[in-house]
Amino acid sequence: NIITKDSTGEWSGELATEYTKSFSDLNEDSRQTTAAAGGAIIPGLLGLQLNGSTRDTEESTFIGGTDNAESTPESTRKQGSAELTLTPDSTNTFDLSYSRAELDYTHRPGVSIPLQGRRGPNETTHYSYRKTVYQAGHEGTYGDLTVDSYIQHDVSERARLLEEKREQITTFNNRTTYLAGEHLITFGG
């Protein structure tokens, strides 16, 4: 979950922790912690918002009868973000943000998958995923004209056994809306 707070006002924050005790073989115990803080660096002009979370789940001890009957792997999920917001006047807002998410799964033979599969002994499998997003944006209102633009660079990395994949995507988006009497004219995309 991403928690959003007004980052140009007073400083505030949250911290939450959770522990889930499992009473079945299908799922095991898990722990989660989330934190958020935000407020003004320069009141009315520059704000900062920080978010983070982590979740750990123990590997399930349920072993199914076929290769497709695997149960919940050991997993760790972490995510964090930071956003600076600049509001130089009442018509413009600029933001600069960074976010990172990491996900790791592990299945072990004899724990969450059978020791033997259809093709012979099963091996420990590890899967990891990393995603980093950089973004700069602008929102402006000028009379009957509203402009909302951003540029975002997304780097995703996935690894499983000997296979690795890395993708980079850059997106520019602009939506401009004009109030023409009783009609809205929107263009961009």
Side-chain angles (χ1 to χ4, degrees), residues 75-143:
S75 67
T76 302
R77 299 171 188 217
K78 297 177 184 177
Q79 66 182 40
S81 66
E83 181 177 20
L84 281 171
T85 303
L86 175 69
T87 52
D89 53 45
S90 62
T91 60
N92 291 290
T93 301
F94 299 90
D95 60 73
L96 188 61
S97 65
Y98 168 85
S99 65
R100 173 124 172 127
E102 300 179 358
L103 173 61
D104 292 295
Y105 286 129
T106 304
H107 278 293
R108 291 177 185 82
V111 182
S112 61
I113 56 176
L115 289 169
Q116 291 287 323
R118 285 188 226 163
R119 297 179 194 99
N122 281 322
E123 295 181 14
T124 297
T125 57
H126 181 77
Y127 173 83
S128 66
Y129 180 73
R130 309 283 183 261
K131 182 176 181 111
T132 306
V133 178
Y134 308 88
Q135 182 173 312
H138 169 257
E139 291 180 28
T141 303
Y142 314 102

Side-chain angles (χ1 to χ4, degrees), residues 160-176:
R160 182 175 183 170
L161 299 173
L162 301 175
E163 174 188 338
E164 289 188 26
K165 184 176 183 181
R166 180 181 167 106
E167 293 181 336
Q168 295 189 53
I169 299 171
T170 301
T171 305
F172 175 74
N173 189 15
N174 172 275
R175 185 180 66 227
T176 302

